[in-house]
Structures are given as structure tokens and as C-alpha cells.
Amino acid sequence: MPIISRIKPVDLTATKNVFVSAVRFATSTGESCPPFGDELKISAQEQIEYMLGEDEDMPLVMADDEVKSVVRTGLSRIFSTFEKQLSSLVLESDIASDTAEANILHCVSDLEWMCSILPKMELMKDFVSSWAGISGGILGILADKKLESAMWGLKVKLIEVSGKALEAVGYGNVILSAPIRAQLLKSWLPYIREMKPLLDSKGTEDTSFPHKMDEDLCQSIEGAIISLVLALPSNDQADILADWMEADQVSYPDLSEAFEVWCYRTKSAKRRLAEGLRRVDNTTVSLE
């Protein structure tokens, strides 16, 4: 029998079923399954990462609408749990309890993991859109007096997740409308600008303080912010840059590059406008 006649069409059903089951386990947010604890969830996440990176059938599986729906449902479930856990922090009698912090950090860890797999499935836009939508609520809770001197690890983790969203939009991997892009940046830029010197100060006062924005994180966020600023409409750029220059702490992020480009573009636009008006005037005179 010729070899070509023995080749059978690839049956994607088995691969799809394994992947869908793994996604449901990986995005579960309820109680752990005794006696396995979180081991099943971690194993499911590792299985998904392996399949996305190594399984040759995955491009076809990822194109399946049911698979995308299951992933989106899982993402929505994680976001919902995260919002509930975050909101509950201000109701905690002991905000510094290990349990409260562990629970919310577990949710943030799930969000970070989703950030690592969604780009491979071309679904990062779903994450960024949701993150932009809840950013105001997140920052409102973080501004509560109960959290003023607590949950530093959570604050750094949320900046890291926001950095992923800013990178996705700033570098054009996720396309959002200008108002949403501006909203995302205007929400997180002041917070990042405020937190960086606070974290640095605490690290200086106490060398054992473990929570900080390391150099790689700072550089990646700064680069994403600059790219995002330069892609906004001119009026939004002007608002953000004016606020940056008026702030007490302007060393981070350094938006000098964005400011220089904005100035150049503004001057060029004014020059082109003036030239256009002169041409109109000359045309009018010649017609007369």
C-alpha cells in the first residue's frame, strides 16, 4: 500500500478535549481538590503551556470557537474572583493577615499566568480590555487607608500585571480605541509614579524589604509608557506630559523622549498649517 494512502486526516477531537479540560482546571477558582491541593491546577497550567509550545495540532485547535469560548470563560472567572478578593480586603479586620494576602496573591498569580498564554492564542485583547475596565476600581481600593502601609507585595504584583497590559497596547500587539488607551495610561501612570519612590525609600530604610520594582521591570514599563504616549492623540499626549512635568517626582518614568517627540510633531504640524494657510492666501489673491 502506498505511503500516501496510509496517511489519515488528523483527528483534533482528542487534542481539543484535553486542552479544554486543562483550561477548565487551570482557571478554576474554587476550593482545591483534596488530597491534591493546588497540584491539579498547576499540572493543568503546565499542560497548557506545553501544548501551546509543542503540540503541532494546536494552531487548528486554537482557531476553534468553542476553545476560545472556554478560555474567555476561564479568564472572566479569574477576573471575577480577583475583584471579589480585592474588594474584601477593605473589610478585613486584620489587613496584615497572611491568609488575606495569600488569597489575593493567588488570584494575581492566575492573572499573570493568563498573560503568558493569551498572546499565543491571540486573545490578549480580552485581558487588556477587562483590565482597563476594572483599573479604576482596583486603584480606588488600593487608595483605601487600610492598605496605605500594607500589602506591598500585592502592589508590586499589580504594577507588574499593569505593565503587561501597557506593553501589549504600547507596542501594538493589542489594538484598542484611543479613549481606552488613554484611560488605561492615565489610570496607572500616576500610581506607578507614586509607588516607585515609596518602594525605593522603604528599601533604603530596610535592606531586607523584599518588595521592589527591579531594573528590568522599570525599563519595560517605561518603554511601554513612552510608546503608548506617542501613539495617543495629540491632546491626550499634551495632558499626560503636562501632568508629568508638574509632578513633584518626575524621575520615573522618564518621559523626556516622548516630550521631545511631541514638541517636534507639534512644531511640524504648526509649520505645515502655516504653509497651508499661505498657499490658500496666495490662491485667493491670484483668483482676485
Side-chain angles (χ1 to χ4, degrees):
M1 180 184 296
I3 292 177
I4 192 67
S5 65
R6 297 202 301 268
I7 298 177
K8 298 179 180 179
V10 177
D11 181 9
L12 298 177
T13 303
T15 303
K16 173 183 170 181
N17 289 342
V18 170
F19 188 77
V20 166
S21 296
V23 168
R24 286 175 175 148
F25 268 113
T27 58
S28 60
T29 57
E31 294 294 326
S32 301
C33 302
F36 302 104
D38 287 328
E39 292 179 12
L40 279 178
K41 184 172 183 176
I42 294 171
S43 295
Q45 291 179 348
E46 291 174 349
Q47 176 67 29
I48 290 170
E49 291 168 8
Y50 172 79
M51 294 180 75
L52 288 174
E54 302 295 336
D55 197 313
E56 296 178 353
D57 297 338
M58 282 311 298
L60 294 174
V61 172
M62 288 187 292
D64 188 280
D65 288 339
E66 181 186 354
V67 172
K68 290 182 178 180
S69 176
V70 170
V71 173
R72 287 186 172 115
T73 299
L75 177 63
S76 176
R77 186 162 51 241
I78 291 173
F79 265 117
S80 177
T81 302
F82 166 71
E83 288 187 90
K84 290 176 183 176
Q85 291 282 358
L86 189 65
S87 298
S88 69
L89 289 180
V90 296
L91 304 176
E92 289 280 348
S93 56
D94 182 10
I95 195 66
S97 71
D98 292 339
T99 302
E101 186 164 14
N103 287 340
I104 187 63
L105 285 176
H106 190 77
C107 291
V108 177
S109 177
D110 286 343
L111 289 173
E112 283 188 297
W113 177 75
M114 291 299 285
C115 281
S116 71
I117 68 160
L118 290 176
K120 299 174 184 177
M121 303 185 68
E122 298 184 357
L123 293 175
M124 190 61 179
K125 183 175 182 178
D126 293 79
F127 181 94
V128 177
S129 297
S130 296
W131 188 255
I134 67 172
S135 288
I138 294 172
L139 293 167
I141 292 171
L142 292 178
D144 190 280
K145 287 190 176 296
K146 281 190 174 183
L147 294 175
E148 187 174 359
S149 300
M151 298 282 181
W152 295 105
L154 171 64
K155 293 170 182 176
V156 173
K157 281 295 182 183
L158 291 178
I159 289 174
E160 290 177 1
V161 174
S162 296
K164 297 293 185 185
L166 291 169
E167 284 180 14
V169 179
Y171 296 131
N173 298 319
V174 169
I175 307 300
L176 297 175
S177 66
I180 295 178
R181 284 183 277 133
Q183 172 200 339
L184 178 66
L185 184 55
K186 289 179 179 179
S187 295
W188 285 101
L189 178 55
Y191 184 75
I192 292 170
R193 191 172 59 210
E194 174 190 356
M195 286 302 301
K196 176 63 166 61
L198 277 177
L199 292 167
D200 289 347
S201 175
K202 292 190 73 67
T204 301
E205 294 170 3
D206 180 4
T207 55
S208 64
F209 184 71
H211 310 298
K212 63 180 181 179
M213 293 174 61
D214 61 34
E215 186 176 350
D216 289 342
L217 175 62
C218 289
Q219 288 181 352
S220 65
I221 289 179
E222 185 173 87
I225 288 175
I226 290 172
S227 296
L228 187 47
V229 169
L230 293 177
L232 290 174
S234 183
N235 288 342
D236 287 319
Q237 291 183 37
D239 290 343
I240 290 169
L241 292 171
D243 181 61
W244 167 70
M245 288 186 291
E246 292 172 1
D248 293 332
Q249 175 64 38
V250 297
S251 62
Y252 184 84
D254 183 0
L255 301 185
S256 301
E257 179 184 343
F259 179 69
E260 290 172 3
V261 173
W262 178 79
C263 289
Y264 174 79
R265 288 176 176 174
T266 302
K267 290 177 182 177
S268 297
K270 288 181 178 179
R271 185 171 60 251
R272 288 195 299 270
L273 177 60
E275 291 172 353
L277 291 174
R278 280 198 299 272
R279 284 196 297 270
V280 170
D281 290 341
N282 292 337
T283 302
T284 303
V285 170
S286 64
L287 289 175
E288 292 175 352

